[in-house]
Amino acid sequence: MSTETTLRVSEIFHSIQGESSLAGWPCAFVRLAGCGHGCRYCDTAYAKEAGTVMTVEQIVRRALAFDAPCIEVTGGEPLLQPGAFELLSELCDRHPVVLLETGGFLPVERVDPRVHAIIDIKAPSSGVAAENCATNFALALDTPERFEFKIVVASREDYEWAKSYIAGHGLPGKCSIIFGPVFGHLEPRLLAEWILRDRLPVRMQLQLHKYIWQPDARGV
Ligand SMILES: C[S@@+](CC[C@H](N)C(=O)[O-])C[C@H]1O[C@@H](n2cnc3c(N)ncnc32)[C@H](O)[C@@H]1O
Ligand SMILES: Nc1nc2[nH]cc(C(=O)O)c2c(=O)[nH]1
Ligand code: SF4
Ligand SMILES: [Mg+2]
């Protein structure tokens, strides 16, 4: 594997992990550039710009320099760049906790098994629910400790869809599942009450960083 492989990078930053089961931990983020998806609620449209070309070695050194308990590769859609797989493996060689945030429409089987992958399942309000890649569920049910599934909901309809979607794929009780509100669209209290009323075996998340800094701030 060559660490001279290049990738297009949107930003590399140090923040408090705002999402997933590791929310709250200081984290180094590598946001790769580019995304072919078009989730209606996307809060990171800027990552679709070209970005800066960097080698795997340069990216890894920048991320390690934050000396954070975890490193997350996100985007844009990180798995769209072939070099992302090498980047993830190189990070795993040099750091014990490597996370991947991926949009759930690409297969994750080529991702280094040492990576903890947070796979987003897109609900109908995203406009791209038809592109959810169901092959990822079989892999996750096989090795559940490697994965988390996240569903961001904007409405009661999204919530009902999410409830039956996870049940239909046999995920509850087997895989870690997180529901979160589309920021500013669904009142967190409503989602909390729906989960409690249904006794749903899912975690609830808020995007912590949007309560610490300006919700539309970059680099946090
Ligand atoms: C910006 S995307 C980048 C990684 C990957 N493309 C994906 O979709 O997971 C990271 C996460 O941000 C979340 N997200 C994006 N816009 C959001 C919003 N308006 N409200 C809540 N979560 C949002 C999605 O759940 C997504 O998983
Ligand atoms: N602080 C912080 N935590 C995050 N977790 C996942 C993020 C993402 O955009 O993928 C993100 C982000 O953009 N900021
Ligand atoms: S897949 Fe991720 S980066 Fe791409 S549009 Fe959807 S939320 Fe935004
Ligand atoms: Mg974000």
Side-chain angles (χ1 to χ4, degrees):
M1 178 169 65
S2 151
T3 57
E4 286 316 297
T5 300
T6 59
L7 290 114
R8 291 183 298 111
V9 180
S10 173
E11 56 186 350
I12 298 176
F13 59 99
H14 189 210
S15 185
I16 296 295
Q17 173 54 260
E19 308 190 27
S20 86
S21 60
L22 280 97
W25 280 107
C27 184
F29 290 86
V30 177
R31 189 184 302 289
L32 297 182
C35 181
H37 238 26
C39 307
R40 284 199 198 103
Y41 55 63
C42 183
D43 62 8
T44 320
Y46 66 86
K48 296 183 181 179
E49 294 154 15
T52 310
V53 176
M54 295 175 70
T55 65
V56 164
E57 185 60 30
Q58 288 168 327
I59 297 168
V60 171
R61 286 193 183 181
R62 281 272 301 279
L64 290 175
F66 291 116
D67 197 18
C70 50
I71 297 177
E72 179 164 271
V73 176
T74 183
E77 176 44 52
L79 298 188
L80 278 176
Q81 295 193 57
F85 300 96
E86 287 181 44
L87 171 63
L88 287 162
S89 290
E90 188 65 25
L91 283 167
C92 289
D93 287 347
R94 295 153 74 171
H95 194 289
V97 185
V98 177
L99 311 176
L100 167 69
E101 189 91 30
T102 182
F105 56 98
L106 295 171
V108 297
E109 66 253 8
R110 283 183 54 209
V111 171
D112 190 306
R114 294 170 292 176
V115 171
H116 185 79
I118 299 107
I119 300 180
D120 216 40
I121 297 173
K122 305 296 182 185
S125 70
S126 68
V128 292
E131 296 178 45
N132 286 312
C133 174
T135 61
N136 292 331
F137 302 126
L139 187 57
L141 287 166
D142 238 9
T143 51
E145 67 287 349
R146 284 173 51 192
F147 298 96
E148 298 181 14
F149 288 99
K150 167 157 45 80
I151 309 187
V152 169
V153 298
S155 62
R156 179 75 195 184
E157 293 70 32
D158 271 358
Y159 171 79
E160 290 296 339
W161 178 91
K163 224 171 51 171
S164 60
Y165 193 86
I166 58 173
H169 288 279
L171 299 178
K174 303 242 182 49
C175 294
S176 173
I177 304 165
I178 298 181
F179 280 18
V182 171
F183 187 82
H185 269 257
L186 178 66
E187 218 190 310
R189 176 183 57 79
L190 282 178
L191 178 57
E193 288 170 359
W194 297 341
I195 291 170
L196 291 170
R197 194 174 310 134
D198 292 340
R199 309 260 187 298
L200 223 46
V202 304
R203 292 166 55 108
M204 179 172 163
Q205 78 162 29
L206 299 176
Q207 293 178 292
L208 269 186
H209 50 296
K210 293 186 178 173
Y211 296 85
I212 300 169
W213 294 282
Q214 280 301 316
D216 58 356
R218 297 187 182 194
V220 290

Short mmCIF file of all heavy atoms in Angstrom, two decimals, residues 85-112:
data_model
loop_
_atom_site.label_atom_id
_atom_site.label_comp_id
_atom_site.label_asym_id
_atom_site.label_seq_id
_atom_site.Cartn_x
_atom_site.Cartn_y
_atom_site.Cartn_z
N PHE A 85 -10.04 3.86 1.15
CA PHE A 85 -9.82 2.56 1.79
C PHE A 85 -8.39 2.45 2.31
O PHE A 85 -8.14 1.96 3.42
CB PHE A 85 -10.14 1.43 0.79
CG PHE A 85 -11.59 1.49 0.32
CD1 PHE A 85 -11.93 2.11 -0.88
CD2 PHE A 85 -12.60 0.96 1.11
CE1 PHE A 85 -13.26 2.19 -1.29
CE2 PHE A 85 -13.94 1.02 0.69
CZ PHE A 85 -14.27 1.65 -0.50
N GLU A 86 -7.43 2.98 1.51
CA GLU A 86 -6.03 2.98 1.97
C GLU A 86 -5.86 3.92 3.15
O GLU A 86 -5.17 3.60 4.12
CB GLU A 86 -5.10 3.45 0.84
CG GLU A 86 -4.93 2.43 -0.26
CD GLU A 86 -3.99 2.95 -1.34
OE1 GLU A 86 -2.94 3.53 -0.98
OE2 GLU A 86 -4.33 2.80 -2.53
N LEU A 87 -6.51 5.07 3.07
CA LEU A 87 -6.42 6.04 4.18
C LEU A 87 -6.91 5.40 5.48
O LEU A 87 -6.26 5.47 6.52
CB LEU A 87 -7.25 7.28 3.85
CG LEU A 87 -7.44 8.28 5.00
CD1 LEU A 87 -6.10 8.88 5.44
CD2 LEU A 87 -8.41 9.40 4.59
N LEU A 88 -8.05 4.73 5.41
CA LEU A 88 -8.63 4.11 6.62
C LEU A 88 -7.69 3.04 7.18
O LEU A 88 -7.44 2.98 8.39
CB LEU A 88 -10.01 3.52 6.29
CG LEU A 88 -11.13 4.56 6.09
CD1 LEU A 88 -12.31 3.95 5.35
CD2 LEU A 88 -11.57 5.14 7.44
N SER A 89 -7.11 2.23 6.29
CA SER A 89 -6.20 1.18 6.78
C SER A 89 -4.93 1.77 7.38
O SER A 89 -4.44 1.33 8.43
CB SER A 89 -5.83 0.22 5.64
OG SER A 89 -6.97 -0.54 5.28
N GLU A 90 -4.42 2.82 6.73
CA GLU A 90 -3.20 3.46 7.25
C GLU A 90 -3.48 4.10 8.62
O GLU A 90 -2.68 3.99 9.56
CB GLU A 90 -2.72 4.52 6.26
CG GLU A 90 -1.36 5.13 6.58
CD GLU A 90 -0.20 4.12 6.51
OE1 GLU A 90 -0.33 3.12 5.79
OE2 GLU A 90 0.80 4.34 7.24
N LEU A 91 -4.64 4.68 8.76
CA LEU A 91 -5.01 5.26 10.07
C LEU A 91 -5.12 4.14 11.11
O LEU A 91 -4.62 4.29 12.24
CB LEU A 91 -6.35 6.01 9.96
CG LEU A 91 -6.30 7.39 9.30
CD1 LEU A 91 -7.72 7.89 8.97
CD2 LEU A 91 -5.56 8.41 10.17
N CYS A 92 -5.70 3.01 10.72
CA CYS A 92 -5.83 1.88 11.66
C CYS A 92 -4.47 1.34 12.08
O CYS A 92 -4.26 0.87 13.20
CB CYS A 92 -6.64 0.75 11.04
SG CYS A 92 -8.39 1.13 10.87
N ASP A 93 -3.49 1.41 11.15
CA ASP A 93 -2.13 0.94 11.48
C ASP A 93 -1.49 1.85 12.54
O ASP A 93 -0.58 1.43 13.26
CB ASP A 93 -1.23 0.96 10.23
CG ASP A 93 -1.58 -0.16 9.26
OD1 ASP A 93 -2.34 -1.07 9.66
OD2 ASP A 93 -1.13 -0.10 8.10
N ARG A 94 -1.95 3.10 12.61
CA ARG A 94 -1.25 4.06 13.45
C ARG A 94 -2.10 4.69 14.56
O ARG A 94 -1.64 5.54 15.30
CB ARG A 94 -0.65 5.15 12.54
CG ARG A 94 0.42 4.56 11.62
CD ARG A 94 0.62 5.31 10.33
NE ARG A 94 1.33 6.57 10.45
CZ ARG A 94 1.75 7.28 9.39
NH1 ARG A 94 1.50 6.83 8.17
NH2 ARG A 94 2.35 8.44 9.56
N HIS A 95 -3.39 4.26 14.64
CA HIS A 95 -4.25 4.79 15.71
C HIS A 95 -5.27 3.71 16.09
O HIS A 95 -5.80 3.03 15.21
CB HIS A 95 -4.96 6.07 15.26
CG HIS A 95 -5.57 6.84 16.40
ND1 HIS A 95 -6.68 6.40 17.08
CD2 HIS A 95 -5.21 8.00 17.01
CE1 HIS A 95 -6.98 7.27 18.03
NE2 HIS A 95 -6.12 8.24 18.03
N PRO A 96 -5.57 3.56 17.39
CA PRO A 96 -6.44 2.46 17.81
C PRO A 96 -7.93 2.66 17.56
O PRO A 96 -8.70 1.70 17.55
CB PRO A 96 -6.17 2.37 19.32
CG PRO A 96 -5.66 3.72 19.72
CD PRO A 96 -4.95 4.30 18.53
N VAL A 97 -8.40 3.90 17.41
CA VAL A 97 -9.84 4.13 17.27
C VAL A 97 -10.11 4.97 16.02
O VAL A 97 -9.92 6.19 16.02
CB VAL A 97 -10.45 4.83 18.50
CG1 VAL A 97 -11.97 4.94 18.36
CG2 VAL A 97 -10.08 4.08 19.79
N VAL A 98 -10.51 4.29 14.95
CA VAL A 98 -10.77 4.96 13.66
C VAL A 98 -12.24 4.77 13.30
O VAL A 98 -12.74 3.64 13.28
CB VAL A 98 -9.87 4.39 12.55
CG1 VAL A 98 -10.19 5.03 11.20
CG2 VAL A 98 -8.39 4.60 12.92
N LEU A 99 -12.90 5.90 13.07
CA LEU A 99 -14.33 5.85 12.75
C LEU A 99 -14.54 6.26 11.29
O LEU A 99 -13.73 7.02 10.73
CB LEU A 99 -15.10 6.84 13.64
CG LEU A 99 -14.83 6.81 15.14
CD1 LEU A 99 -15.60 7.93 15.83
CD2 LEU A 99 -15.21 5.48 15.71
N LEU A 100 -15.61 5.77 10.72
CA LEU A 100 -16.01 6.16 9.36
C LEU A 100 -17.48 6.57 9.40
O LEU A 100 -18.30 5.88 10.01
CB LEU A 100 -15.84 4.97 8.40
CG LEU A 100 -16.49 5.12 7.02
CD1 LEU A 100 -15.77 6.17 6.18
CD2 LEU A 100 -16.52 3.77 6.29
N GLU A 101 -17.77 7.69 8.81
CA GLU A 101 -19.16 8.16 8.68
C GLU A 101 -19.52 8.04 7.20
O GLU A 101 -18.90 8.73 6.37
CB GLU A 101 -19.24 9.62 9.15
CG GLU A 101 -20.63 10.16 9.28
CD GLU A 101 -21.22 9.96 10.68
OE1 GLU A 101 -20.46 9.94 11.66
OE2 GLU A 101 -22.45 9.83 10.77
N THR A 102 -20.42 7.14 6.87
CA THR A 102 -20.73 6.93 5.46
C THR A 102 -22.23 6.93 5.22
O THR A 102 -23.01 6.57 6.10
CB THR A 102 -20.10 5.62 4.94
OG1 THR A 102 -20.38 5.47 3.54
CG2 THR A 102 -20.60 4.41 5.70
N GLY A 103 -22.61 7.37 4.02
CA GLY A 103 -24.01 7.66 3.74
C GLY A 103 -24.88 6.47 3.46
O GLY A 103 -26.05 6.62 3.12
N GLY A 104 -24.33 5.23 3.56
CA GLY A 104 -25.22 4.07 3.48
C GLY A 104 -25.64 3.69 2.09
O GLY A 104 -26.36 2.72 1.89
N PHE A 105 -25.14 4.40 1.06
CA PHE A 105 -25.56 4.00 -0.28
C PHE A 105 -24.44 3.28 -1.02
O PHE A 105 -24.60 2.87 -2.17
CB PHE A 105 -26.09 5.19 -1.09
CG PHE A 105 -25.15 6.36 -1.21
CD1 PHE A 105 -24.38 6.53 -2.34
CD2 PHE A 105 -25.05 7.29 -0.18
CE1 PHE A 105 -23.52 7.61 -2.46
CE2 PHE A 105 -24.20 8.38 -0.29
CZ PHE A 105 -23.42 8.54 -1.43
N LEU A 106 -23.28 3.12 -0.35
CA LEU A 106 -22.18 2.37 -0.98
C LEU A 106 -21.87 1.16 -0.10
O LEU A 106 -21.96 1.24 1.13
CB LEU A 106 -20.95 3.27 -1.10
CG LEU A 106 -21.11 4.48 -2.05
CD1 LEU A 106 -19.91 5.41 -1.92
CD2 LEU A 106 -21.28 4.01 -3.49
N PRO A 107 -21.45 0.04 -0.75
CA PRO A 107 -21.10 -1.13 0.07
C PRO A 107 -19.86 -0.85 0.91
O PRO A 107 -18.95 -0.14 0.47
CB PRO A 107 -20.84 -2.23 -0.98
CG PRO A 107 -20.73 -1.56 -2.29
CD PRO A 107 -21.34 -0.20 -2.19
N VAL A 108 -19.83 -1.40 2.11
CA VAL A 108 -18.71 -1.14 3.02
C VAL A 108 -17.79 -2.35 3.18
O VAL A 108 -16.85 -2.32 3.97
CB VAL A 108 -19.22 -0.70 4.42
CG1 VAL A 108 -19.98 0.62 4.34
CG2 VAL A 108 -20.06 -1.78 5.07
N GLU A 109 -18.03 -3.41 2.35
CA GLU A 109 -17.22 -4.62 2.62
C GLU A 109 -15.73 -4.41 2.41
O GLU A 109 -14.92 -5.11 3.01
CB GLU A 109 -17.71 -5.85 1.83
CG GLU A 109 -17.55 -5.80 0.35
CD GLU A 109 -18.90 -5.59 -0.32
OE1 GLU A 109 -19.89 -5.35 0.39
OE2 GLU A 109 -18.94 -5.67 -1.56
N ARG A 110 -15.32 -3.43 1.60
CA ARG A 110 -13.87 -3.24 1.39
C ARG A 110 -13.22 -2.41 2.50
O ARG A 110 -12.01 -2.20 2.52
CB ARG A 110 -13.63 -2.55 0.04
CG ARG A 110 -13.78 -3.46 -1.18
CD ARG A 110 -13.45 -2.70 -2.46
NE ARG A 110 -12.15 -2.07 -2.40
CZ ARG A 110 -11.85 -0.94 -3.06
NH1 ARG A 110 -12.76 -0.32 -3.78
NH2 ARG A 110 -10.64 -0.43 -2.98
N VAL A 111 -14.04 -1.91 3.42
CA VAL A 111 -13.50 -1.09 4.52
C VAL A 111 -12.74 -1.99 5.49
O VAL A 111 -13.22 -3.08 5.85
CB VAL A 111 -14.64 -0.34 5.24
CG1 VAL A 111 -14.15 0.34 6.52
CG2 VAL A 111 -15.29 0.67 4.30
N ASP A 112 -11.57 -1.55 5.92
CA ASP A 112 -10.75 -2.30 6.87
C ASP A 112 -11.61 -2.71 8.08
O ASP A 112 -12.26 -1.86 8.68
CB ASP A 112 -9.58 -1.40 7.32
CG ASP A 112 -8.54 -2.17 8.11
OD1 ASP A 112 -8.93 -2.81 9.11
OD2 ASP A 112 -7.37 -2.13 7.72
#
